[in-house]
Amino acid sequence: MRKMIFVLMFLCINMGTFKLTAYCPCDECSEGWGRLTHSGRIAEAGRTVAADLSVMNLGDKITIDGKEYVVEDSGGGVKGDHIDIFFDSHQEVEAFGVRNGEVKIWR
């Protein structure tokens, strides 16, 4: 009997240090889009991020300082080495502020 072995290989690309900001479904942050993302998925805190689609692709799985996210959105102010992380409330957005983080893409 033959055994079939499947090997899944992922390529990890170190993208370097990115500017990190935050957004939520409020009108001020989402410009009226609420939780609807560019990919058509509903944004979820702890999963959804917005990125510059000339740098990353929709659906890319990334880590930011070791935490996993999925690129599901884009934004007018998100350009180059900048990622916007989705949160449920504007209070969380303000608490997050602006910071820098190490980003890796898993493909």
Side-chain angles (χ1 to χ4, degrees), residues 42-96:
I42 300 301
E44 185 178 309
R47 181 192 73 209
T48 303
V49 296
D52 182 339
L53 299 183
S54 71
V55 176
M56 296 179 190
N57 300 313
L58 289 175
D60 275 348
K61 291 175 179 28
I62 68 170
T63 57
I64 301 171
D65 294 332
K67 179 154 177 29
E68 296 178 19
Y69 295 93
V70 179
V71 177
E72 296 181 328
D73 210 356
S74 61
V78 181
K79 301 290 184 214
D81 295 348
H82 177 189
I83 291 178
D84 214 8
I85 301 172
F86 183 83
F87 287 90
D88 286 322
S89 72
H90 200 75
Q91 184 177 13
E92 291 171 291
V93 168
E94 289 178 340
F96 185 85

Side-chain angles (χ1 to χ4, degrees), residues 1 4-5 11 26 28 37 51 54 63 65 67 74 79 81 94-95 98 105-106:
M1 175 184 287
M4 295 180 72
I5 299 173
L11 176 63
C26 79
E28 181 181 344
T37 67
S54 71
T63 57
D65 294 332
K67 179 154 177 29
S74 61
K79 301 290 184 214
D81 295 348
E94 289 178 340
V98 177
I105 297 178
W106 296 87

